[in-house]
Amino acid sequence: MRGLARTVSGWTRRDFLVSAGQCAACAWLAGLAVGQDGRDVPGGLACGREIDFYDRLPEQKIQCFVCPLHCVLKDGETCFCRTRTNVGGRLLTRAYNNPCILDVDPIEKLPLNHFRPGTHTLTIGVGGCNLRCIYCQNWEQSQKMPDELKTVPLTPDQAVAYARRKKLDTIAFSYTEPVAFLEYARDVAMAAKKARMKVVVATAAFVETEALLDFAKYVDAFVVSLKGFSEDFYHRVCGVKLAPVLTAIETIRRRTRCWLELLNLVVPSYNDELPAIEEMVGWIHKTLGDDVPLHFARFTPMYKLANLPRTPVQTLEVACEAARQAGLRYVYTSNIAPHEGNNTFCADCHQPVVQRLGFKILENRLNRGSCPNCRRKLPGVWG
Amino acid sequence: MGRWRLATPGGPSVFFIIGLCATSLSPSWAEEERPAPATAATHRQYQQDAARARQLLVDLQFTPNQARNLLLVLERAATLHIQRYEELTALLPEMREAYTAFAAEDRLNQGFSREVERRTARVHHAEIESGERFDRALLALEQEALRVLTVAQREKLRQLESRARPRRAARRDAAANERLTALHAELEELQARKHPTCGKFGRHVLCPAAYDAVCSLAGVQPSATLRQAVDVELNGTAQFPRDEFEKQLEQVRDLRREINNWNLINGLYLTQPQIERIVALYDAHAAGVRPTAAVAGDASSAVALERAVEEVLNRGQREVLADYKACLIPPKNLKDPVRVGQAKDNSPYEHWLERARQQAGPDLERAIRELLDRESKHHGELTKWERQERANVLRRTARQAARMSDSEFELDKAELAAKITPPDRLDQVRKELETVARAQGRPGRITQFMLNPWFIAQLRERGEQLAAGLTPQPADLTKGPQAENCDRGCALPGKGAARKR
């Protein structure tokens, strides 16, 4: 005790201040370094890169502008998407380099039927989502923060290297909502583009136009899940609004060069009424044109809607027929196989040109994207 | 050893003749004492079984001494048969209820409720386990019973069994097609390995219908247990009479067939025009109309119909049919196929690797042992050498997985799992047999699964369901579960445990 007291008492004020300064400098440098692209930042949060779209407000508050929710956050609070946290007046993402799902999938699983059929993707998913769909099939990942899940560290460069090693030339973001990990997805996409790889994204498109356009620069194809066609449905079932989704879809179609396909999960008694479906397909035809493929997917009881039955197959067939009547040329059924609706038919001669069994290609008769029978060029990316 | 000494090494012919006379002249219990069979069908079956048993004893030249030595085994076999009846009677009403509910949901083709599916699976597995227990015990008794036989008799038995083996198809083409015969033999061997059951001797001599003949040959009166077993065989028990048992068994069989048919109909996603065409082809065939020559060629009537139906199916449907297995609970690829955007659909072997890569030493060895035990249950017992080989593969792969980083493992786990998944040789042989049979112009899976009156009746019903169409009732979105939303601000607290509103 006496020795310790002598040591402490032996320190001058100058020694103490120099040591304290050195410690502070070290801590700041470490925090800065990890804060750029690491997984730990001061405060014990597993966060990483600072995000691009936010405003600083008085009293260390922050307003996020990635998605139309425009969350206002006090210090320490996290956005509705569970991934972006206000750390001392800076908005950092917990999702960076922190995926919870990493898999090799057929591109048809996204689902993309007109984008390089038969190829595979390195698919990445990160915990969190800015929607609260009560039937989410991946709710165990989407309704948790990234650091509440078992994750695998993966930098953008590593993602590209892994894809290369597996001889894949497409990287996909799916399973959960890429808008929730937009900064990470954007950097991976950027690295992929540098390596001349393709990037495809499955999203609910509840995102601000500026953030979307910034991301779309590095994306080749989008699958947008249009969950229903009424504000009431979006509000009560998904927890968000429909209008921004429609704006985003229109933006992708009109202001980017990305390939676009749409997905609609038909939930029995929730969004399977024919008038609503007719209204939706009418909007698609009028706003996006007749060449945008539309997938009607079968619902399987999940999450908070586990008590509902599966969608009857006839309902999907009726929806497909309504879409064709509205003038859409490429309409598919998903989550049921084998079904005629899995196949791609030529819009002119109505011959099957790509035959599928679920995600498996049984036969691809397309000749550089053209029907072998009538030589009509089918819309899509076939090379 | 005592039993072996009692058997006459010189030849059983004298005893056999005496025994045969005894069998034919003096039944072990008087006709009026024997319990009257409950139903004509039961009686017929009993008579057939008894005749087969007598014939086998004659063929083997079974001696009275051997018959006497067999009595103790028969006692245990009788107890086993009584137990099996009691187990089945306990299960039957539950099976009937569970299967009825399951068939009703299957008919609607909108998935199964958890409760109904669990109950069906539970009762179905209980029945399978009871059957396997019975087969195993009877097999052990047969091994014991076979010790009574002389070497010559066993050789004779082997000859009789191999004579009974060749199937109609193999017999027809045995000379022309050795491959078919070899495949049949392999299939039988694999099936016997997967579900070992007793042979001809156990089947015919240890069943209650044989007790009369064996006791007659032994010159003794049947014991109370043997009588009880025969009584149960003919009349059932007081709690569960035989006619009721037969009736419920038939109902359960019908329900199983109905469920299997629904599973296939649901899995094929036949459209209404396809259903109409298949039904029309079947009806025309029943009325004696042959499909067009372009489709039928010079094939037989059944094959012509099969080819015509095959034309109606699309390529995906043909693929599903080629892999279809008639299971009560539909396999995962039919019941719950992988959906678009669905995460983490790992195979059981991926799950096993995920756990095994974090284990080492005794823990890993235990995991390997448990996996091998599970596999033995599904694919049949492995020999000691095979088990060791397989354990080495599993150990090597688990260690390889352990050396990988988490990201590498996530990416490679499907390939690693494929490496350790045992090949389903039974399925391969079955498919090869079908290919050979098809090349020889025999009917295939379409005839087997689809072209029968029960399937067609259900197909008609599905066609009517489709024709009736749907009138969906919209949900009241103000009731039932609601999504969280941002109406009152959307910030979440720092560590993410509780929401701050």
Side-chain angles (χ1 to χ4, degrees), chain B residues 26 28-29 67 71 74 210-223 226:
Chain B
S26 60
S28 54
W29 65 75
L71 287 174
L74 284 196
Y211 300 164
D212 194 0
V214 177
C215 287
S216 301
L217 191 57
V220 294
Q221 286 293 314
S223 68
L226 296 187

Side-chain angles (χ1 to χ4, degrees), chain A residues 76 78 94 137-138 165-166 269, chain B residues 335 340-341 412 475 483 490 492 494:
Chain A
T78 300
R94 294 164 180 267
Q137 62 175 338
N138 296 328
R165 208 194 77 203
K166 301 294 286 183
S269 83
Chain B
K335 185 181 67 170
V340 291
D412 288 343
C490 51
L492 305 176

Side-chain angles (χ1 to χ4, degrees), chain A residues 49 96 156 182-192 215:
Chain A
R49 185 182 177 284
Y96 207 81
L182 198 71
E183 305 71 31
Y184 176 54
R186 181 183 173 277
D187 287 1
V188 174
M190 219 154 77
F215 182 41

Side-chain angles (χ1 to χ4, degrees), chain B residues 162-399:
Chain B
S162 62
R163 204 192 307 160
R165 284 257 169 92
R167 293 179 179 188
R168 198 174 38 154
R171 203 166 52 219
R172 201 187 332 158
D173 295 319
N177 198 336
E178 281 177 23
R179 182 75 194 131
L180 200 65
T181 317
L183 282 170
H184 271 298
E186 191 178 353
L187 190 72
E188 274 178 21
E189 192 190 320
L190 288 166
Q191 276 167 343
R193 197 168 164 179
K194 194 172 175 184
H195 299 297
T197 50
C198 61
K200 199 176 171 74
F201 193 74
R203 272 200 313 277
H204 295 327
V205 179
L206 299 185
C207 74
Y211 300 164
D212 194 0
V214 177
C215 287
S216 301
L217 191 57
V220 294
Q221 286 293 314
S223 68
T225 315
L226 296 187
R227 280 167 187 268
Q228 193 193 343
V230 172
D231 189 25
V232 168
E233 183 73 10
L234 290 171
N235 294 315
T237 56
Q239 296 83 10
F240 217 113
R242 191 80 199 185
D243 51 354
E244 181 61 23
F245 175 83
E246 296 288 346
K247 201 173 102 189
Q248 291 205 14
L249 198 65
E250 194 57 36
Q251 284 170 348
V252 166
R253 278 192 200 123
D254 288 348
L255 281 165
R256 273 190 185 154
R257 189 178 51 221
E258 185 187 338
I259 290 168
N260 284 336
N261 287 344
W262 282 131
N263 289 346
L264 182 57
I265 293 171
N266 294 343
L268 286 175
Y269 294 106
L270 294 161
T271 59
Q272 205 182 331
Q274 280 181 314
I275 291 175
E276 282 165 7
R277 283 197 60 197
I278 293 171
V279 170
L281 281 166
Y282 184 84
D283 288 346
H285 177 260
V289 181
R290 208 175 140 77
T292 55
V295 174
D298 57 353
S300 69
S301 170
V303 175
L305 176 64
E306 171 151 338
R307 284 189 192 162
V309 172
E310 197 174 4
E311 289 285 309
V312 178
L313 301 180
N314 66 31
R315 205 165 154 171
Q317 286 164 334
R318 277 179 239 155
E319 287 241 343
V320 167
L321 193 64
D323 288 329
Y324 175 71
K325 285 176 190 163
C327 299
L328 198 69
I329 308 285
K332 196 178 177 320
N333 62 339
L334 289 191
K335 185 181 67 170
D336 186 19
V338 181
R339 299 176 294 277
V340 291
Q342 183 192 356
K344 300 237 177 189
D345 186 55
N346 291 347
S347 73
Y349 283 93
E350 287 175 39
H351 281 302
W352 185 83
L353 272 175
E354 249 171 21
R355 283 193 302 274
R357 70 190 286 259
Q358 287 156 3
Q359 294 170 328
D363 287 344
L364 178 62
E365 292 307 315
R366 195 177 52 244
I368 291 172
R369 232 178 8 252
E370 282 170 5
L371 181 67
L372 289 175
D373 290 344
R374 271 205 306 276
E375 283 181 359
S376 300
K377 214 174 164 188
H378 286 288
H379 303 290
E381 281 297 330
L382 298 171
T383 63
K384 195 179 167 188
W385 183 83
E386 284 171 332
R387 201 176 159 94
Q388 207 172 334
E389 273 291 293
R390 181 123 184 82
N392 286 341
V393 172
L394 292 172
R395 200 175 295 118
R396 229 178 7 247
T397 316
R399 284 180 185 156

Side-chain angles (χ1 to χ4, degrees), chain A residues 71 76-79 94 109 122 132 137-138 145 153 165-166 236 239 269 298 302 309-310 335 338 340 360, chain B residues 109-110 267 269 314 319 335 339-343 407 411-412 415 473 475 477 483-484 490 492 494 496 500:
Chain A
C71 296
E77 284 188 334
T78 300
C79 283
R94 294 164 180 267
K109 195 179 165 187
L122 173 73
R132 292 290 186 270
Q137 62 175 338
N138 296 328
M145 289 187 176
R165 208 194 77 203
K166 301 294 286 183
R236 293 184 190 278
S269 83
R298 187 184 205 189
M302 272 299 149
R310 279 162 205 243
N335 299 347
E340 284 293 312
K360 188 175 153 194
Chain B
N109 189 22
Q110 290 180 17
Y269 294 106
N314 66 31
E319 287 241 343
K335 185 181 67 170
R339 299 176 294 277
V340 291
Q342 183 192 356
S407 344
L411 279 177
D412 288 343
E415 276 171 34
Q473 296 293 314
L477 293 182
E484 281 181 280
C490 51
L492 305 176
K500 187 157 71 180

